[in-house]
């Protein structure tokens, strides 16, 4: 009799053990976007693949998965991440009574669905994020350091060191597992240095692109951290000064070509207007007779030397006329004295 009881108990245990996986495999949502490699409990996850309660979702170093839960909640899982859908209690009113996810590491974006805000809870190594009709990004580092950046609505982060309220868009809090927590302040690119990872918060910096409305929430001016956008204005200034350096030598070369021609003009033209009886200005100077005699000047018939001779003859003719007049004056003076 004891043998039959033992067999019955064994069969009951087998039945219960077979029913447990069915309860664990309850679908809570599905994948809507998959890039590169995303894996789940049973292997690679593809678009339209269901995700289940207690299932761990992992992404590769270039992976990206976007998931839609039954109440409209959206979860984006960025590269190098690991997250578990910890609790999920669904009711008949198309909302959930409880949705808890446990983020072990990586980067995420959360957008609340139609359920009450008190139904959502996100657990991290540094504390708990309370959701209040909210959209936000959060990052969990390898050492458990957690950063939360508010995009819409409101949120609260509570850890061993107390709680911080996030009420303004782009408010950010950084917390550590030991209880250290920053005050809420506006996020800026320096947070990546604080987290020690330039790949943190890739949905804000634009290093990973999200599809659909979940990707239209803005970047809080974090897009400037993209390195390829900083070096675009360096090459053009080096090309502009090149043609300007060739202009000054061309301007200086033009007046140098005209300088030899300027002194020749007054030497030939001006003397003829002042002295109609002589071809050159130096003919009237009495202290340079040798130039007229020693150098053969050409007269109208082209023979050398005639011009100098004619000129001396002309001067002798004038001298004779002056002597004749002087003799005449002397003779007249004598006759006048004789008459007296």
């Amino acid at each position: 009799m004891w043998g039959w009881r033992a067999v019955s108990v064994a069969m009951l245990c087998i039945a219960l053990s077979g029913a447990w996986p069915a309860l664990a495999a309850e679908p809570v949502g599905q994948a809507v976007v998959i890039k590169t490699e995303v894996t789940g409990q049973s292997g690679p996850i593809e678009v339209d693949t269901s995700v289940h309660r207690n299932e761990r979702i992992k992404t590769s170093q270039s992976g990206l998965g976007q998931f839609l839960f039954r109440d409209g909640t959206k979860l984006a899982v960025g590269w190098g991440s690991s997250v578990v859908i910890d609790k999920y209690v669904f009711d008949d009113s198309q909302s959930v009574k409880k949705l808890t996810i446990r983020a072990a590491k990586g980067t995420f974006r959360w957008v609340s669905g139609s359920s009450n805000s008190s139904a959502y809870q996100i657990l991290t190594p540094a504390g708990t994020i309370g959701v209040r009709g909210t959209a936000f990004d959060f990052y969990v580092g390898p050492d458990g350091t957690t950063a939360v950046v508010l995009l819409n609505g409101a949120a609260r982060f509570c850890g061993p060191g107390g709680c911080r309220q996030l009420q303004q868009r782009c408010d950010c809090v950084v917390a550590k597992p030991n209880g250290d927590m920053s005050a809420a302040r506006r996020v800026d690119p320096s947070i990546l240095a604080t987290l020690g990872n330039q790949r943190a918060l890739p949905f804000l910096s634009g290093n990973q692109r999200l599809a659909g409305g979940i990707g239209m929430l803005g970047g809080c001016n974090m897009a400037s951290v993209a390195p390829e956008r900083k070096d675009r204005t360096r090459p053009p200034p080096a090309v502009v000064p090149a043609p300007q350096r060739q202009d000054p030598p061309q301007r200086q070369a033009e007046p140098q070509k005209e300088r030899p021609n300027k002194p020749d003009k007054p030497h030939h033209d001006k003397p003829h207007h002042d002295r109609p009886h002589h071809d050159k200005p130096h003919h009237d100077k009495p202290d340079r007779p040798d130039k007229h005699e020693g150098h053969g000047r050409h007269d109208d018939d082209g023979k050398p030397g005639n011009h100098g001779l004619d000129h001396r003859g002309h001067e002798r003719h004038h001298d004779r006329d002056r002597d004749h007049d002087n003799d005449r004056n002397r003779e007249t003076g004598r006759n006048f004295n004789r008459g007296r």
Side-chain angles (χ1 to χ4, degrees), residues 1-333:
M1 183 173 181
W2 287 103
W4 286 104
R5 289 181 179 179
V7 172
S8 299
V9 171
M11 292 179 64
L12 180 60
C13 292
I14 293 172
L16 291 175
S17 64
W20 178 254
L23 294 174
E26 178 187 2
V28 297
Q30 65 180 9
V32 293
V33 174
I34 298 295
K35 295 182 180 180
T36 63
E37 185 179 354
V38 181
T39 59
Q41 191 76 21
S42 59
I45 297 178
E46 299 178 356
V47 174
D48 296 331
T49 298
S50 295
V51 293
H52 305 84
R53 182 170 60 89
N54 289 332
E55 183 174 12
R56 181 179 294 276
I57 300 171
K58 293 182 178 181
T59 59
S60 65
Q61 292 301 315
S62 60
L64 172 65
Q66 292 181 218
F67 302 92
L68 178 65
F69 293 95
R70 293 172 65 179
D71 72 330
T73 297
K74 298 174 182 178
L75 176 66
V77 184
W79 50 34
S81 302
S82 176
V83 61
V84 176
I85 303 171
D86 192 32
K87 295 179 181 179
Y88 188 91
V89 180
F90 189 77
D91 60 17
D92 295 334
S93 62
Q94 298 300 314
S95 62
V96 295
K97 294 181 180 179
K98 194 70 174 178
L99 174 57
T100 302
I101 67 170
R102 187 180 300 273
K105 65 174 182 176
T107 184
F108 309 87
R109 174 166 290 182
W110 170 278
V111 178
S112 298
S114 59
S115 302
N116 293 329
S117 59
S118 59
Y120 303 114
Q121 192 176 49
I122 299 164
L123 306 177
T124 74
T128 302
I129 304 173
V131 179
R132 299 181 180 180
T134 311
F136 55 87
D137 282 14
F138 64 101
Y139 166 79
V140 180
D143 62 349
T145 299
T146 301
V148 184
V149 181
L150 182 67
L151 300 176
N152 190 21
R156 181 177 65 176
F157 187 88
C158 294
C163 295
R164 296 286 187 272
Q165 300 292 333
L166 298 150
Q167 297 178 341
Q168 301 293 326
R169 172 176 165 78
C170 300
D171 275 355
C172 175
V173 168
V174 178
K176 293 181 177 296
N178 61 6
D180 292 341
M181 188 184 307
S182 70
R185 66 177 183 86
R186 184 175 179 84
V187 70
D188 59 52
S190 66
I191 190 175
L192 301 181
T194 301
L195 298 174
N197 185 0
Q198 294 296 316
R199 289 165 57 91
L201 303 172
F203 308 140
L204 293 179
S205 65
N207 290 329
Q208 274 196 311
R209 303 287 184 177
L210 298 176
I214 193 173
M216 303 297 292
L217 297 175
C220 295
N221 294 325
M222 289 284 290
S224 60
V225 302
E228 64 273 12
R229 300 183 182 182
K230 295 181 180 180
D231 301 330
R232 293 181 179 177
T233 58
R234 293 180 182 177
V239 181
V240 175
Q244 297 179 355
R245 296 175 182 175
Q246 298 178 359
D247 292 340
Q250 294 178 358
R251 295 191 189 102
Q252 295 177 359
E254 293 176 0
Q256 292 178 358
K257 295 179 181 179
E258 297 178 356
R259 289 175 184 173
N261 297 329
K262 291 180 179 179
D264 296 336
K265 293 180 179 179
H267 181 71
H268 297 285
D269 300 334
K270 292 182 179 180
H272 296 284
H273 298 284
D274 299 333
R275 299 173 176 83
H277 296 288
H278 304 282
D279 294 334
K280 299 298 178 180
H282 53 269
H283 291 168
D284 295 334
K285 296 180 181 179
D287 56 342
R288 294 183 181 178
D290 56 334
K291 290 186 178 180
H292 298 286
E293 296 176 2
H295 298 280
R297 295 284 181 175
H298 294 276
D299 56 8
D300 294 338
D301 59 359
K303 295 180 180 180
N306 292 336
H307 184 76
L309 297 175
D310 292 342
H311 182 68
R312 286 194 301 271
H314 183 70
E315 290 178 352
R316 291 169 184 159
H317 177 72
H318 283 288
D319 293 338
R320 294 193 200 99
D321 291 338
R322 284 194 298 268
D323 296 339
H324 181 72
D325 291 337
N326 292 333
D327 294 337
R328 183 181 299 175
N329 291 334
R330 292 190 193 97
E331 187 65 25
T332 304

Side-chain angles (χ1 to χ4, degrees), residues 331-340:
E331 187 65 25
T332 304
R334 293 191 189 112
N335 293 333
F336 178 77
N337 291 330
R338 289 173 186 173
R340 293 180 64 183

